Amino acid sequence: MSFSQNFIKSSVLVKQLLSVSFISPNDLVVEIGPGLGIITQELVKVAREVIAVEKDRELFANLKNKFNQVKNLKIFNQDFLDWTLPQKPFKIFSNIPFNITAEIIDKLLKSPTKPTEFYFVMQLEAAQKYILNDQFNAQNSILLAPFYDVEILGDIDRTAFTPKPQVDIVFIKFTLKDIFLFDLPVYQQFRDFVIFGFNQWKGNIFEIYKKIFSYDQLKKINHQLKINNLKPSQLNFDQWQKLFEIYIKFVSPEKKKLIFGFEKNYLKNIRFPTSRNSH
């Protein structure tokens, strides 16, 4: 077995994390990568139903044996990234494999069925990239904002894990918004538009999008939003949303072809095929 996961050692810690969550006896809860079952054994005590999705065959076999008498638990031997999400309301509570954090969250954002809440144990550096900020916004925070609010609930000591991680770890909550800003087809266009903007070898919005917007459109954009000289990370979510609305309404279909499918093509170049072969 090859692990990229740092396993929680103590059920006491799991109980503390659950106590600050809103997991209730009415909830269906999904656990990603249950591993040794430390979280699982506490989840089944507080949730109505738990679904654990474990990719590793040996760990899956151990989990099936360990929990064979537990009635409110289902365990699947699948890669979560390929697993079909529940069609009924659900939450997620997981100590996720750190090396596929972005892929897991992207899957949730693109799914027609989304968890009403998800709680992750994850690296602080990764968590900060999902939180909107007045001075700096990472690409991930802009892509998350149409659907979720984010809150770091607390820090977790590195000694609580085996093996001990070399980075700071936090417990983070994502809460689904009552109103979605985009439906899924438009959201994919938004993703392509934003990811295009964040991944050009050019300094500011004017230079990045000058082949997309006409010169007159860029002048009007700057008059309305005052963003042409800003870097993508300096725009807040409201500015990104308004810039995208202008793009949707006024940019020609021919120029939109430069943006369409950008995320898919970009990911082909940066994600190695082996990244999903380790647990």
Side-chain angles (χ1 to χ4, degrees):
M1 290 180 292
S2 176
F3 299 128
S4 62
Q5 223 166 331
N6 299 83
F7 295 107
I8 292 176
K9 294 189 289 186
S10 169
S11 60
V12 174
L13 172 60
V14 176
K15 291 175 183 177
Q16 291 173 341
L17 298 179
L18 281 168
S19 72
V20 297
S21 77
F22 285 88
I23 302 296
S24 77
N26 297 318
D27 290 330
L28 165 62
V29 182
V30 173
E31 184 185 5
I32 304 165
L36 304 176
I38 296 294
I39 291 178
T40 316
Q41 68 185 11
E42 301 305 324
L43 271 179
V44 295
K45 297 175 185 177
V46 297
R48 173 177 54 83
E49 181 182 357
V50 176
I51 300 175
V53 185
E54 176 55 59
K55 179 181 178 181
D56 186 275
R57 289 182 182 178
E58 186 175 339
L59 289 175
F60 168 76
N62 291 339
L63 290 164
K64 289 288 284 185
N65 183 61
K66 181 176 182 178
F67 295 106
N68 66 340
Q69 298 299 316
V70 178
K71 303 300 184 184
N72 64 331
L73 173 65
K74 295 178 183 177
I75 310 173
F76 291 90
N77 185 200
Q78 281 184 252
D79 184 342
F80 176 77
L81 297 176
D82 299 323
W83 184 69
T84 302
L85 296 173
Q87 298 300 303
K88 51 190 175 182
F90 70 102
K91 299 177 181 180
I92 299 178
F93 191 102
S94 298
N95 173 28
I96 57 174
F98 296 153
N99 68 327
I100 55 169
T101 296
E103 291 168 277
I104 289 172
I105 294 177
D106 284 350
K107 175 185 174 74
L108 300 177
L109 292 176
K110 295 177 183 181
S111 173
T113 58
K114 295 177 172 58
T116 55
E117 296 170 356
F118 58 100
Y119 299 87
F120 283 166
V121 174
M122 61 191 288
Q123 294 179 20
L124 172 62
E125 183 180 3
Q128 290 172 330
K129 292 179 180 178
Y130 287 96
I131 297 173
L132 292 173
N133 190 294
D134 291 335
Q135 279 76 42
F136 174 90
N137 284 302
Q139 173 182 292
N140 288 346
S141 67
I142 300 300
L143 297 178
L144 183 84
F147 298 119
Y148 285 94
D149 294 316
V150 193
E151 179 186 3
I152 292 178
L153 299 179
D155 303 321
I156 304 176
D157 194 285
R158 298 183 191 186
T159 60
F161 300 88
T162 181
K164 181 181 175 182
Q166 300 303 307
V167 293
D168 292 330
I169 307 298
V170 296
F171 185 50
I172 187 169
K173 176 187 180 185
F174 299 77
T175 305
L176 192 64
K177 294 181 176 181
D178 293 330
I179 299 174
F180 296 169
L181 298 178
F182 307 119
D183 60 22
L184 279 183
V186 175
Y187 176 63
Q188 185 56 57
Q189 292 183 65
F190 178 73
R191 289 184 68 91
D192 286 335
F193 183 76
V194 171
I195 294 170
F196 176 91
F198 270 93
N199 293 282
Q200 303 299 310
W201 295 101
K202 296 171 183 177
N204 58 45
I205 293 296
F206 180 87
E207 291 295 325
I208 289 168
Y209 288 105
K210 67 181 182 181
K211 290 185 178 180
I212 309 300
F213 296 102
S214 69
Y215 182 75
D216 285 342
Q217 286 171 338
L218 284 167
K219 282 178 64 177
K220 291 177 182 177
I221 287 168
N222 200 47
H223 178 73
Q224 292 178 33
L225 303 179
K226 305 293 188 294
I227 63 172
N228 282 9
N229 292 321
L230 298 181
K231 297 177 182 179
S233 59
Q234 293 176 308
L235 273 65
N236 60 38
F237 176 70
D238 185 59
Q239 289 170 321
W240 271 111
Q241 184 181 356
K242 289 177 180 176
L243 182 62
F244 176 66
E245 288 172 354
I246 295 170
Y247 163 79
I248 289 294
K249 289 180 181 178
F250 299 111
V251 170
S252 69
E254 192 65 29
K255 287 190 174 181
K256 283 179 180 174
K257 290 180 181 178
L258 298 172
I259 300 288
F260 181 79
F262 185 84
E263 178 184 21
K264 184 177 180 180
N265 293 328
Y266 176 71
L267 291 180
K268 283 181 182 178
N269 295 326
I270 66 166
R271 286 185 177 163
F272 299 101
T274 55
S275 67
R276 287 173 56 180
N277 292 334
S278 62
H279 185 80

